[in-house]
Amino acid sequence: MSTGTTGLTTPPRLGRGGAGTLVEGDAPTGSARRRNPNRRMRWAGLLYLAPALAMYTWVVLVPLVQSANYSLYSWDGVSTPTWVGLGNYGDFFTDPDLRAALGHVGVLICFFSFLPIALGMLTAAIISRRNLRGAALFRSLLFLPQVVTTVVTAVVWKFLYTPDGPINTLLRALGLGALAQNWLGDVTWALPALGVIGTWVTFGFCMILFVSGAQSIPQELYEAARMDGAGPVAEFFAVTLPGLRPQLAVALTLTITAALRTFDLVYVATQGGPGSSTTTPALLLYRKAFQNPDVGAAAAIAVVLAIACLLVAILIQRVTERES
Amino acid sequence: MSSPRVARLVAALALPLTLVAAACAPQAANSGGGNVQPSAVSSDVASAGPVTLRFLDFEEGPDAAYIKKAIAGFEQQYPNVKIERTEQSFDQVMSTLNLRLADPNGPDVATINNGWQSMGTLSKAGLILNLDKYAELYGWRDQLSPTMLRQLEFTPDGKKMGEGSLYGTPGARLTTVGLYYNKKLLTDAGVAVPTTYAEFETALAAVKAKGETPIALGTQEKTYATNPLFALQSLLGSPKAINDFVYGSGGTTLEQTGLGTAAAKLAEWQKDGYLNPGYNGLDFDGGKKVFTDGKAAFHFDYSGALVGTGADSTKFGRVQLPQPDGGAQTSVGAASAVFGISAKTKNPDAAAAFLNYLGSQEMNDLSVQNGYLPIRPSTAQVEPGTTFADEVAGAATVTKDDGFLPFFDWSSPEMLDVIGGQVQLILAGRSTPETLVTDGQKSYDDAAAKRG
């Protein structure tokens, strides 16, 4: 854990290194006699875990298995189901609506994940270089959207985006009236307009994550970098970015899975319209599960989304682990 | 060391999960199928002892006040019955109703929706009572026009809509889709209130020539983007074809229902600049506001559109246009809420008495007093010269001509979404009326194939 010898490229990794060491040090390596008390302790540990584990099984694992099971049937939710095997999964290849929805998620990932992370990094880099006055207030203001319910956010932005709403009024006042749009009602602009709402929501979260991460990067690293003649940009890439790798992994995982699961924002703001220009898989899932009872098809979408989220999480974990 | 541990953990988790999965394989909510009826029915509720009815409905705002008065009136008539009301939004009720009615402790009486996705699914699964015996007991069929009754019928096997047994009652409130106009803007343009579709088009052109906006609408919400289209279809399409298509009673294609013609008309108006600017960025209420603010001459809306908007109802009128051939008065019209009884209720007689009360003469009068259209003839006074008086007169002629049309989206579970999306795209120049017809037909055929 000493920072002096690790050099600039491998900064300390807080939080994870400590826990890892403890677990390994605890692993029994001695004689058989020494293993018994350890084993008993392990079962005792499991006992402590049992209530949480039971709850987790009941509310997460059981519905998960149930959904996977439902996805193999054609079922309206109330009458006798018919076994269709993997037929419901075929929709992903044949249903144009579902494929379009997957494409929309790609766009949303840029707005929900990449853009806020880039902006968050930039802000964190600026804040961590020197103490800005009012930084705390600034941070809380930017974090605020994260606290507000999505439905409220959607309703507010729906108003902002109306033809004579504040955004268009501002554009006209600035002499940019030609750029004014019926944002959420326009086939071209509705999806990016929704994306911007996502950026607004997740930006503050990413920034807080990176600022707190940057605070734990030892000042000496910055001093060393400056002594080597690094400017702000070189300093960012040599010290800040590598130091924020764990935070980056968390931010990527949470924001990408959030984009994959986008439902409430779209449901309230556009209902997937105009046409089907802003549909998401989760919106189609809702429609199939509740409006047009086809529980099997809905469950198939849910299972694919769950697997996609899991893969994203594993992939990001893998990449950041290897680079460290 | 770690891999056997993981294996044991997986085994420990997998065993109960497999058992759970096996036990929870999807099952029909009611294995008996769709024809649940009480063996004996009675209208004697007063001597049934203390009864509590759980009632789930989606009446909010001013509608909630109306339903509360209904409950109070019923409880006064039958002091031994207590109604426990649960109120939620339409979407909430609709998305959970199937599960709630499968629960023995669910509601006894609930608001359900017409069409395949709600009443069709519930009747087929045997989750709501077949009401035929109660309809006979209380004479419900004699109180309603045939085109209204049809909207509440399904065959017990769930294969056909619009015939068979009664699975819901319509309460006392009617909703129609119709054409509102601004009296002053028409006078300014030098045109009289249209009495035919041709005169309506002349009026549109005259208003436009005067430099005013002919039609106010808001199409940002997909669901409500269908409103002007369905209204136009009821004016331009054949009522028989629309009924036959929606109820699936034989060989009619979507093309024959006039929906494509209506869509082409809408596209033409858009091209001619007849629509309010920014209509695609406004939701339905936003479009309505353009009209009530006096910025457009015409507006298609549901009856009761001006209730609660603060608009001066003497400045606006509503006109019921006849079919182009000068024939019957037709209008898209349905009960504003349909009430059904859970098949799991322990008090079907009390529940049926409540349904009967919801459609009683008192409730129809109460409906009129609150500014809503009644389903049955009402003796309550209507102030002449108001928009509401126009609405009442229009509904009366449609009732007389038995010209109620079902909402077109009942024809398939996804129809509303398909058509609403297509309207948005057509108005944006990204789709054509022909595509709307093809996509709508496909949704209809897919749904029919699925029902078998």
Side-chain angles (χ1 to χ4, degrees):
Chain A
M1 290 291 290
S2 89
T3 51
T5 54
T6 47
L8 285 183
T9 46
T10 50
R13 313 198 44 212
L14 280 133
R16 300 187 51 241
T21 326
L22 254 178
V23 170
E24 255 126 65
D26 218 26
T29 47
S31 65
R33 209 184 295 163
R34 277 193 61 206
R35 289 172 74 158
N36 279 336
N38 251 319
R39 173 155 297 181
R40 205 174 300 140
M41 267 176 69
R42 206 182 296 143
W43 282 109
L46 209 59
L47 206 64
Y48 283 117
L49 259 179
L53 206 62
M55 187 61 112
Y56 181 76
T57 308
W58 183 244
V59 301
V60 178
L61 296 179
V62 169
L64 201 71
V65 174
Q66 247 176 357
S67 300
N69 188 21
Y70 289 170
S71 73
L72 305 174
Y73 292 85
S74 169
W75 190 38
D76 63 7
V78 284
S79 38
T80 316
T82 334
W83 171 267
V84 292
L86 294 175
N88 286 324
Y89 292 90
D91 287 356
F92 279 90
F93 303 101
T94 54
D95 186 350
D97 287 342
L98 199 49
R99 287 166 65 181
L102 290 173
H104 299 154
V105 164
V107 176
L108 289 182
I109 286 177
C110 297
F111 280 101
F112 279 49
S113 183
F114 302 153
L115 199 56
I117 284 177
L119 290 173
M121 280 274 183
L122 191 69
T123 327
I126 293 170
I127 292 183
S128 60
R129 279 206 96 215
R130 54 177 62 88
N131 281 329
L132 293 173
R133 280 168 69 101
L137 179 72
F138 178 65
R139 281 205 303 264
S140 340
L141 279 179
L142 286 176
F143 190 69
L144 207 62
Q146 193 67 32
V147 187
V148 179
T149 322
T150 318
V151 174
V152 176
T153 307
V155 170
V156 170
W157 276 87
K158 221 174 135 178
F159 165 70
L160 295 178
Y161 277 139
T162 47
D164 293 317
I167 291 178
N168 281 342
T169 310
L170 184 72
L171 284 173
R172 288 186 192 113
L174 294 174
L176 298 170
L179 294 180
Q181 299 286 342
N182 296 321
W183 298 100
L184 294 175
D186 190 282
V187 181
T188 314
W189 289 102
L191 190 60
L194 282 180
V196 167
I197 307 178
T199 308
W200 180 76
V201 171
T202 45
F203 164 55
F205 165 73
C206 293
M207 185 202 62
I208 291 285
L209 208 58
F210 296 142
V211 167
S212 61
Q215 275 167 356
S216 56
I217 299 175
Q219 258 344 100
E220 300 91 80
L221 290 181
Y222 286 100
E223 282 160 20
R226 272 169 224 170
M227 223 156 341
D228 288 346
V233 177
E235 189 182 299
F236 173 77
F237 283 104
V239 182
T240 315
L241 188 60
L244 290 179
R245 199 171 283 142
Q247 283 78 17
L248 185 65
V250 171
L252 271 175
T253 312
L254 291 181
T255 53
I256 290 183
T257 50
L260 282 171
R261 289 180 288 125
T262 312
F263 168 71
D264 33 15
L265 186 64
V266 178
Y267 181 74
V268 175
T270 65
Q271 294 182 324
S276 54
S277 56
T278 57
T279 50
T280 62
L283 187 75
L284 295 180
L285 184 161
Y286 172 80
R287 241 184 241 157
K288 284 184 199 292
F290 298 115
Q291 293 180 338
N292 168 27
D294 190 351
V295 176
I301 298 180
V303 168
V304 170
L305 279 185
I307 292 174
C309 288
L310 196 68
L311 285 180
V312 165
I314 291 175
L315 197 74
I316 292 170
Q317 193 71 17
R318 275 283 169 87
V319 169
T320 46
E321 292 260 300
R322 192 172 30 197
E323 282 182 2
S324 72
Chain B
M1 187 70 210
S2 81
S3 59
R5 200 195 302 171
V6 169
R8 269 207 305 276
L9 190 66
V10 167
L13 285 175
L15 184 66
L17 284 180
T18 318
L19 289 175
V20 163
C24 295
Q27 277 171 357
N30 188 332
S31 51
N35 198 13
V36 185
Q37 291 195 67
S39 46
V41 295
S42 161
S43 59
D44 181 15
V45 175
S47 60
V51 171
T52 301
L53 289 179
R54 286 175 300 256
F55 176 43
L56 173 69
D57 70 81
F58 50 67
E59 311 289 354
E60 296 176 299
D63 302 7
Y66 167 82
I67 210 82
K68 276 179 194 157
K69 282 183 197 160
I71 292 171
F74 181 73
E75 285 178 337
Q76 201 177 357
Q77 193 171 341
Y78 296 107
N80 59 320
V81 182
K82 194 175 161 4
I83 308 249
E84 257 175 31
R85 175 172 181 247
T86 307
E87 174 211 333
Q88 285 184 337
S89 75
F90 178 81
D91 279 348
Q92 267 179 314
V93 171
M94 281 311 136
S95 55
T96 55
L97 194 57
N98 293 2
L99 290 171
R100 285 176 150 173
L101 288 173
D103 174 4
N105 296 315
D108 298 290
V109 177
T111 42
I112 51 188
N113 201 6
N114 302 80
W116 294 108
Q117 72 277 30
S118 179
M119 198 191 276
T121 310
L122 291 169
S123 59
K124 181 180 157 202
L127 291 178
I128 49 176
L129 283 186
N130 179 333
L131 298 177
D132 279 348
K133 285 183 181 168
Y134 287 115
E136 206 175 317
L137 180 69
Y138 288 110
W140 287 337
R141 284 182 180 273
D142 304 330
Q143 301 168 6
L144 299 163
S145 58
T147 45
M148 188 55 64
L149 271 176
R150 225 186 150 178
Q151 302 184 350
L152 309 163
E153 292 174 337
F154 272 88
T155 53
D157 61 4
K159 299 257 189 228
K160 283 194 160 171
M161 174 167 64
E163 58 188 278
S165 296
L166 209 62
Y167 280 93
T169 59
R173 284 179 43 199
L174 172 71
T175 302
T176 61
V177 180
L179 182 62
Y180 289 85
Y181 61 90
N182 180 317
K183 293 176 182 173
K184 183 171 175 298
L185 287 183
L186 288 194
T187 314
D188 289 353
V191 286
V193 177
T195 56
T196 64
Y197 182 80
E199 286 179 20
F200 170 50
E201 286 210 321
T202 315
L204 289 176
V207 171
K208 178 69 187 170
K210 191 81 186 159
E212 298 284 349
T213 302
I215 294 178
L217 51 88
T219 62
Q220 203 247 307
E221 295 160 302
K222 226 187 250 197
T223 321
Y224 293 113
T226 54
N227 177 284
L229 191 72
F230 292 164
L232 264 175
Q233 183 194 28
S234 72
L235 296 176
L236 301 170
S238 137
K240 184 178 180 308
I242 296 171
N243 274 299
D244 285 351
F245 182 82
V246 172
Y247 296 124
S249 48
T252 317
T253 63
L254 195 143
E255 181 144 36
Q256 294 165 315
T257 64
L259 197 67
T261 319
K265 210 45 116 181
L266 210 53
E268 197 181 302
W269 290 349
Q270 192 271 332
K271 215 166 280 166
D272 293 344
Y274 282 9
L275 309 179
N276 53 305
Y279 62 87
N280 60 347
L282 291 175
D283 59 15
F284 190 72
D285 285 340
K288 180 191 300 204
K289 193 166 181 304
V290 172
F291 177 73
T292 53
D293 284 351
K295 290 179 193 157
F298 292 99
H299 174 60
F300 291 106
D301 209 326
Y302 305 94
S303 51
L306 302 185
V307 177
T309 59
D312 179 355
S313 79
T314 59
K315 290 186 174 163
F316 305 98
R318 195 190 207 224
V319 59
Q320 182 64 50
L321 294 177
Q323 285 274 304
D325 60 7
Q329 298 271 5
T330 53
S331 170
V332 178
S336 68
V338 175
F339 303 92
I341 302 178
S342 168
K344 308 214 183 246
T345 182
K346 290 176 189 73
N347 301 295
D349 286 342
F354 182 50
L355 253 52
N356 188 54
Y357 185 81
L358 286 172
S360 63
Q361 186 64 48
E362 291 108 294
M363 290 310 298
N364 280 276
D365 290 349
L366 185 65
S367 185
V368 173
Q369 286 152 18
N370 282 277
Y372 303 118
L373 289 176
I375 282 190
R376 296 162 193 81
S378 162
T379 51
Q381 288 294 312
V382 179
E383 200 183 327
T386 57
T387 322
F388 184 52
D390 288 350
E391 291 174 16
V392 172
T397 59
V398 177
T399 306
K400 185 168 66 64
D401 289 357
D402 193 22
F404 289 110
L405 296 175
F407 277 86
F408 195 75
D409 54 272
W410 298 346
S411 55
S412 91
E414 284 180 336
M415 195 59 86
L416 193 61
D417 195 68
V418 171
I419 306 258
Q422 279 295 320
V423 168
Q424 291 176 328
L425 293 179
I426 289 173
L427 291 177
R430 304 280 188 114
S431 185
T432 60
E434 290 74 35
T435 312
L436 178 142
V437 170
T438 325
D439 284 12
Q441 183 74 47
K442 186 176 176 302
S443 163
Y444 185 78
D445 293 341
D446 287 353
K450 234 170 109 184
R451 286 195 294 275

